[in-house]
Amino acid sequence: MKMKNIIILSGLFLFLFTSCAHRLVGTWNVQKYERKTPGEEGMSVSNIGKITFDKNGSGEKNLDYSLLGISAKDVTPFQWSATDQFVTIEGENSEITKTWIYIENKSKFQKWQSTDGANNVQTLELAKD
């Protein structure tokens, strides 16, 4: 009986853990990237590229944007993981590589927020075709 309960609980945990992660699999258009400092006007850019999330926890960024006069091109692979509240992107140092909080988590639209350790709040809006 104990073994049956362990198997059922393990299956439930696996389902709950992967239920949000499966939404990310695929290619997403980065509709908006915004950076704000509390008390100051924010900066944002639109349609800056694509992020692809593979089923095996890997992915690739293909981003190209200019913010505050600084141009950035980020075409690098990464590793990712997700829970029901967070998505973590690990890889080469970039604006995107960090843990993000889901603000909206829908099958065709994602909105995430994070901070950069310097009192800046960053927001990403992703849309899937």
Side-chain angles (χ1 to χ4, degrees):
M1 185 67 169
K2 286 183 182 181
M3 185 61 147
K4 183 178 177 182
N5 288 341
I6 291 172
I7 292 171
I8 290 171
L9 287 175
S10 296
L12 181 61
F13 176 77
L14 184 61
F15 173 77
L16 290 174
F17 178 76
T18 60
S19 64
C20 292
H22 79 278
R23 286 186 180 173
L24 287 179
V25 173
T27 299
W28 294 80
N29 297 310
V30 181
Q31 289 186 322
K32 185 177 181 182
Y33 171 70
E34 182 176 48
R35 186 170 35 191
K36 289 183 185 178
T37 301
E40 296 180 17
E41 187 175 336
M43 303 285 178
S44 68
V45 289
S46 300
N47 300 315
I48 64 170
K50 296 181 181 292
I51 300 177
T52 300
F53 296 89
D54 297 326
K55 287 181 184 180
N56 65 0
S58 66
E60 184 170 86
K61 301 172 284 195
N62 189 353
L63 308 174
D64 191 3
Y65 61 95
S66 179
L67 190 61
L68 298 172
I70 299 171
S71 294
K73 185 158 182 73
D74 187 357
V75 183
T76 56
F78 61 87
Q79 296 296 310
W80 67 276
S81 61
T83 68
D84 60 340
Q85 296 177 333
F86 305 102
V87 60
T88 300
I89 298 176
E90 299 177 50
E92 290 185 27
N93 192 21
S94 79
E95 295 286 322
I96 308 300
T97 306
K98 62 180 75 195
T99 297
W100 296 83
I101 299 168
Y102 291 119
I103 303 302
E104 288 187 51
N105 183 3
K106 298 181 179 173
S107 62
K108 298 284 184 181
F109 180 78
Q110 299 276 314
K111 184 173 183 178
W112 305 345
Q113 281 190 338
S114 190
T115 60
D116 66 0
N119 209 24
N120 294 309
V121 177
Q122 297 160 310
T123 304
L124 263 182
E125 293 182 9
L126 309 172
K128 196 183 258 188
D129 293 329

